Amino acid sequence: MRVIDLTLKDLRQLVRDWKTAFFMVAMPIVFTLFFGLIFGGQGGETDPRLPVAFLNNDCSSSLSASLLSLLEASSSIRPVVLDEGSAQTASELVRDGERAAALIVPVGFGQAAERLASGEAIVDGQPMKATVIVDQHQASGQTAVQAIETAVTRLLSAAQIARISTEAFEASTSFEDQAARQAYQDQALALASEAWREPPLFVTVEKAVVESELQESPANAYVQSSPGMIIQFTIHGLMMSGMIMVLERKTGTLRRLLTTPMTRAQIIAGKTLSTLVPVLVQETLLVAVGQFVFGVDYLREPVAVVLVMVALALWVCSLGLLIAAFAKIEDQVHTWSLVAMFVFSALGGAWFPLEITGKTFAAIGHLTPTAWAMDGFQNIVLRGQGLTSVLLPVSILLAYAVVFFALAVWRFRFE
Amino acid sequence: MTVHLRKAIDIALKDLIRSFRNVFGLVMMFLVPILLTAMMYFAFGTLFRGDGGFDVPLTRVQVANLDVPSPQLGGFSAGQILLEFLQDESLSNLLQLSEAPDEASARGAVKNQTADVAIIVPSNFTAAVLEPEGTARVTLVQDPTLTLGPSIVKGLVSQLADTFSGAKIAAGTVARQFGQRGVPVKPQMFQDIATEYATWAAEVGQARADGMHPALDVQAPLSKAEPRSWGAEVAGLVMVGMMIFFAFFTGANTAGTIISEQENGTLARLFTTPTTHTAILGGKFTGVFVTVLVQVLVLTLLTTAIFGVHWGMPLTVSLAVLALVIVVSGFGVFIISFIKTTRQQGSVLGSVLTLAGMAGGLFTTSLSTPPRAFEIIQLLTPHGWALRAWKLALAGASAGEVALPVVVLLGMGAVFFAIGALRFRKRFA
């Protein structure tokens, strides 16, 4: 009972500072919305494909016209035709981030591509090439250049097929004249280009989710940002409790508690509960917002979600207690809480998936408790898995909590 | 005049010493921006190797090859060709391949997270390659939390599927054109066509793998900036966002000492001295300006020393520094003029600065194609204009090219300062 009284006392102190409490709930909602909109809205308002500038200086060639058609059939990019402008304009568009890439078709490209199909070198031994301007360090740039290469390769393929068909016909019979030959070749090119719009052997991608609803639902941009921001701001929330403990130590209140019949263990338990309760309340509110506002389906496995929330909260409490054990003044609580929030959030994949980082960073990141918390949430909302899928992440979070608690209790000073 | 100026300088110096003795302040001014930049550098800066390849985690792939070989062609199997293609040594730094006995095992491996991608080669794959009207679909089942690895696998599988498709399209085109002209097709012809096409496709595929597409020349966007490593580029972009964000934070917090002095009563006592209100407030504001200036200079020098960031042409960078410091100082005075107590300061500053920083694009500096609406919102904030000026500087822009954002920032800084100073004069009149 005394533990409960101590907890309630601390909770009343926390609730008095309603602005900070509001900040703890409002800010993660704003961040979730922001990152979800930003990363879910790339590539265009109505067409989600990456915009690629297309400058065709070889308008008289049917081959170059076929290229635009092949680009339009792409599932990853959409060509945005530049009516006029130079390579510099196209380059600036890419440099300034307005286009994922730019494709510039030079004069004579169509003719050059046809000759390339015949294996002939052009123009002083140098093949004429179209220029792709792209920042390959960006994920969007990589996607764009791959899609452009595919379209151009299919175009060359169409030219190659036209040449093969023409030569096969010439070997079987003969053309009336050069015009008939050209007409045959043009027809072959048109047939092949049209066939490439729906190739006979193709690849489809499915996501490995357990439930069919998740498989069919449109991609939700908030499934990364919602759990990520829950984790980040849960860590941030421990700052308040740490501040209370440090203030009480400074003012001697904590030492005075030792003169009461309460044991040290009871005092620490009370302090821990006073951190655990607001963290759980914060998590619950944010999960509810994620569920009902952002459409992240946490409630498909409520028990699993609660397990992850409790394990995360316990680890965060242990971290808060550890900080309070070492900090002497409020500024130190501030500093270490912020550093912990940034480091654990970045390393643990709360800001961006670890998959898109370098090998070493990803490996180190997966050692952090935040990465396991993300795994736990994403197993439910993204992979569509059930209770058993969160047992490992929860166990690891609890193990971290035990270690941090042990350290904190060992180092905790009452004066 | 000289006496009042000296007193203002004394007040500014006092505030400067207090700012740079405050551990939390120093952490927020220097340590946190450097720490965040270092983490991003570590996360993304090592992604690209110097030889043009990239250093991503291996993608674990399970292949369920259900393809039925063709007995008529001596056991030819397109599925086996796909498998051998993916097992090639050149892909060993990208893929970790294993074979699954059936489709259910492959799918299960992805669900159990023992594989990242499963490739299901259908049983009619070879038949589709050989039959004129045949079609086939290769299914990739991916872990829904991943993007990069699955896209690499899709690109590779699509490349091979296109080789087979091209051979079929070639045969189909010949058959159709010959048929239209009533010319009979010799049976061996299709085999020869397929072989000729496949040889050509293999050459093109090899050229692509070597980074030498026969019809494409891939170039980076024109930049006036000095060539630099990808790591330095990442560090520069991240530090720009962090520096601007924490500069605004420093400006507002330093200006906030006015509030704490008011609460402690030291400000009132200062006003009882012969020092004019103008000198007192001027000294405070000068303290803000110099603190932020030192912060910005130290951060730019540190990132150059640690990460090799080239900030751009000296004049351009100087203008960007000046504009940033002026708008930060003005904004700090402006925002603090609305705050009554130190208790309000923490939550108000935290939320206002974070929201403005977010709207200004400071947390997404490396985003290549932001939504159009977001670009417009950015320009409504001083943070967005500061980001624009610094990104231009990083890209090697001349002083003339950065003139617009600099002028806008100076104007904003002056307006913010004027409003804030006016409000303070009224408050302390």
Side-chain angles (χ1 to χ4, degrees):
Chain A
M1 269 312 289
R2 290 193 183 114
V3 171
I4 306 292
D5 288 336
L6 186 60
T7 304
L8 285 173
K9 187 272 298 171
D10 280 356
L11 285 175
R12 270 194 289 271
Q13 254 178 292
L14 281 170
V15 165
R16 262 187 228 137
D17 190 4
W18 64 269
K19 283 197 192 82
T20 308
F22 175 74
F23 182 90
M24 277 170 61
V25 175
M27 287 311 297
I29 293 171
V30 170
F31 267 82
T32 303
L33 182 65
F34 174 74
F35 285 117
L37 284 173
I38 288 294
F39 293 108
Q42 284 196 68
E45 287 75 24
T46 51
D47 188 336
R49 296 179 296 169
L50 293 168
V52 169
F54 179 67
L55 179 59
N56 185 9
N57 294 319
D58 191 33
C59 300
S60 58
S61 161
S62 55
L63 201 71
S64 299
S66 297
L67 178 55
L68 179 60
S69 168
L70 285 167
L71 290 170
E72 282 166 351
S74 169
S75 59
S76 329
I77 59 171
R78 61 182 170 91
V80 180
V81 177
L82 285 182
D83 289 326
E84 54 184 60
S86 62
Q88 190 167 348
T89 307
S91 183
E92 283 167 7
L93 286 172
V94 176
R95 189 195 63 199
D96 296 342
E98 291 187 46
R99 298 287 177 262
L103 176 61
I104 302 167
V105 179
V107 173
F109 177 75
Q111 206 175 21
E114 285 172 27
R115 284 178 160 175
L116 196 64
S118 310
E120 295 175 23
I122 307 104
V123 188
D124 300 327
Q126 296 294 322
M128 182 176 292
K129 296 186 177 184
T131 304
V132 180
I133 299 173
V134 66
D135 181 359
Q136 292 204 74
H137 292 136
Q138 300 281 346
S140 56
Q142 295 246 337
T143 304
V145 82
Q146 201 173 61
I148 291 170
E149 280 192 357
T150 299
V152 171
T153 304
R154 288 178 174 180
L155 185 78
L156 290 183
S157 164
Q160 179 73 0
I161 290 167
R163 182 195 66 78
I164 291 174
S165 183
T166 306
E167 288 178 2
F169 191 84
E170 259 178 340
S172 299
T173 176
S174 57
F175 293 106
E176 286 169 13
D177 51 29
Q178 184 59 27
R181 188 181 193 281
Q182 189 61 50
Y184 182 95
Q185 191 162 334
D186 289 345
Q187 184 197 32
L189 180 65
L191 286 171
S193 300
E194 186 55 34
W196 270 118
R197 290 180 67 85
E198 284 189 31
L201 290 119
F202 55 96
V203 178
T204 58
V205 180
E206 289 176 18
K207 291 192 179 158
V209 288
V210 173
E211 290 186 9
S212 58
E213 290 94 0
L214 279 172
Q215 177 76 267
E216 285 149 17
S217 63
N220 186 337
Y222 301 107
V223 288
Q224 165 72 28
S225 59
S226 174
M229 291 304 109
I230 288 174
I231 292 167
Q232 174 175 321
F233 283 91
T234 301
I235 301 173
H236 183 266
L238 57 82
M239 200 187 298
M240 281 196 312
S241 315
M243 295 283 266
I244 291 176
M245 279 191 257
V246 164
L247 273 169
E248 289 197 354
R249 187 187 294 129
K250 261 176 75 173
T251 55
T253 321
L254 212 54
R255 190 178 53 206
R256 263 188 278 163
L257 277 174
L258 290 175
T259 65
T260 68
M262 289 184 76
T263 62
R264 286 175 188 240
Q266 283 176 322
I267 295 169
I268 290 177
K271 293 295 174 194
T272 305
L273 267 179
S274 70
T275 308
L276 187 69
V277 170
V279 165
L280 278 173
V281 169
Q282 180 192 29
E283 282 181 323
T284 306
L285 284 169
L286 293 175
V287 162
V289 169
Q291 174 76 36
F292 298 113
V293 176
F294 299 123
V296 182
D297 198 5
Y298 291 107
L299 291 184
R300 52 174 301 280
E301 285 288 338
V303 174
V305 167
V306 167
L307 275 180
V308 177
M309 283 166 60
V310 169
L312 175 62
L314 282 170
W315 169 67
V316 166
C317 288
S318 67
L319 179 61
L321 200 64
L322 190 61
I323 290 174
F326 282 95
K328 294 191 178 65
I329 55 174
E330 300 92 290
D331 271 1
Q332 287 178 356
V333 174
H334 251 138
T335 306
W336 291 341
S337 300
L338 274 175
V339 170
M341 181 184 77
F342 287 136
V343 170
F344 281 119
S345 298
L347 277 177
W351 291 350
F352 41 77
L354 289 177
E355 178 229 3
I356 63 171
T357 62
K359 262 188 213 163
T360 312
F361 188 93
I364 293 175
H366 264 117
L367 297 174
T368 61
T370 31
W372 289 100
M374 279 298 288
D375 273 354
F377 280 124
Q378 287 186 330
N379 280 349
I380 302 161
V381 301
L382 255 185
R383 296 190 175 100
Q385 293 172 353
L387 184 59
T388 50
S389 70
V390 305
L391 292 181
L392 179 60
V394 164
S395 305
I396 291 177
L397 279 167
L398 290 176
Y400 270 107
V402 165
V403 170
F404 280 43
F405 265 126
L407 274 169
V409 166
W410 173 53
R411 291 287 308 183
F412 199 85
R413 295 162 291 115
F414 285 81
E415 46 200 314
Chain B
M1 181 75 163
T2 315
V3 168
H4 292 298
L5 183 62
R6 204 167 49 242
K7 284 180 182 168
I9 292 172
D10 286 339
I11 291 169
L13 273 171
K14 187 245 329 154
D15 278 355
L16 274 174
I17 292 169
R18 183 165 50 184
S19 289
F20 288 107
R21 270 197 192 149
N22 180 303
V23 173
F24 178 68
L26 288 173
V27 165
M28 295 300 280
M29 271 197 268
F30 303 114
L31 177 65
V32 174
I34 292 286
L35 177 69
L36 288 172
T37 303
M39 283 205 297
M40 295 303 112
Y41 176 87
F42 182 34
F44 300 107
T46 52
L47 204 53
F48 295 95
R49 299 196 303 263
D51 61 2
F54 45 100
D55 192 32
V56 292
L58 276 178
T59 303
R60 300 165 303 165
V61 181
Q62 284 243 337
V63 181
N65 181 12
L66 311 176
D67 187 33
V68 175
S70 163
Q72 294 95 333
L73 290 179
F76 165 78
S77 166
Q80 188 60 28
I81 292 175
L82 172 61
L83 190 60
E84 288 167 7
F85 170 68
L86 294 173
Q87 286 172 331
D88 191 83
E89 186 60 32
S90 60
L91 300 177
S92 60
N93 66 332
L94 290 174
L95 308 179
Q96 185 181 309
L97 209 77
S98 51
E99 288 185 62
D102 50 48
E103 180 174 345
S105 303
R107 286 179 180 273
V110 178
K111 281 178 191 153
N112 297 334
Q113 296 172 57
T114 51
D116 300 321
V117 179
I119 301 174
I120 318 292
V121 182
S123 57
N124 70 332
F125 196 54
T126 296
V129 170
L130 296 176
E131 287 162 16
E133 300 304 319
T135 63
R137 179 181 72 174
V138 177
T139 305
L140 263 55
V141 182
Q142 67 160 88
D143 184 323
T145 65
L146 304 177
T147 48
L148 194 58
S151 75
I152 291 171
V153 174
K154 185 187 172 193
L156 290 168
V157 177
S158 296
Q159 201 176 314
L160 194 75
D162 270 10
T163 303
F164 289 126
S165 288
K168 277 182 67 77
I169 292 172
T173 303
V174 167
R176 194 161 157 188
Q177 285 189 294
F178 274 45
Q180 280 175 353
R181 288 158 179 82
V183 177
V185 181
K186 293 175 193 148
Q188 182 58 29
M189 190 182 286
F190 289 129
Q191 181 72 28
D192 295 339
I193 287 167
T195 305
E196 186 179 355
Y197 181 86
T199 305
W200 172 86
E203 286 169 5
V204 171
Q206 187 57 50
R208 283 180 71 176
D210 295 339
M212 306 269 294
H213 195 286
L216 284 176
D217 180 24
V218 181
Q219 299 174 0
L222 290 171
S223 172
K224 295 170 199 166
E226 289 176 32
R228 54 191 164 215
S229 68
W230 171 237
E233 186 137 348
V234 167
L237 283 171
V238 173
M239 177 50 82
V240 160
M242 294 299 107
M243 180 170 67
I244 296 170
F245 178 74
F246 286 100
F248 273 94
F249 190 86
T250 302
N253 263 319
T254 312
T257 57
I258 298 175
I259 309 295
S260 52
E261 288 215 27
Q262 186 186 14
E263 283 184 355
N264 296 337
T266 48
L267 193 64
R269 263 188 276 166
L270 210 50
F271 286 147
T272 63
T273 66
T275 312
T276 61
H277 282 31
T278 307
I280 292 167
L281 292 176
K284 291 257 163 234
F285 301 154
T286 305
V288 174
F289 181 90
V290 177
T291 305
V292 177
L293 180 65
V294 170
Q295 180 191 17
V296 171
L297 288 176
V298 169
L299 285 176
T300 49
L301 290 170
L302 274 179
T303 39
T304 299
I306 299 171
F307 306 111
V309 175
H310 296 289
W311 286 101
M313 298 166 80
L315 181 58
T316 312
V317 175
S318 306
L319 286 173
V321 169
L322 180 69
L324 176 62
V325 173
I326 285 177
V327 78
V328 160
S329 309
F331 190 78
V333 170
F334 170 77
I335 207 90
I336 290 294
S337 70
F338 288 92
I339 293 172
K340 301 274 186 296
T341 65
T342 49
R343 226 181 129 77
Q344 278 181 352
Q345 195 175 320
S347 48
V348 170
L349 283 190
S351 36
V352 168
L353 292 178
T354 304
L355 285 169
M358 203 188 305
L362 301 185
F363 304 133
T364 49
T365 49
S366 54
L367 199 66
S368 62
T369 49
R372 188 77 195 133
F374 182 54
E375 288 181 319
I376 295 168
I377 290 170
Q378 277 182 287
L379 295 179
L380 297 175
T381 64
H383 304 67
W385 283 101
L387 183 63
R388 182 169 276 220
W390 279 94
K391 280 180 110 171
L392 281 170
L394 266 178
S398 64
E401 289 170 300
V402 85
L404 174 62
V406 165
V407 165
V408 170
L409 286 168
L410 292 176
M412 279 181 161
V415 167
F416 285 136
F417 181 81
I419 297 172
L422 211 65
R423 287 180 62 84
F424 273 120
R425 282 190 78 87
K426 275 190 187 167
R427 193 196 289 195
F428 301 128

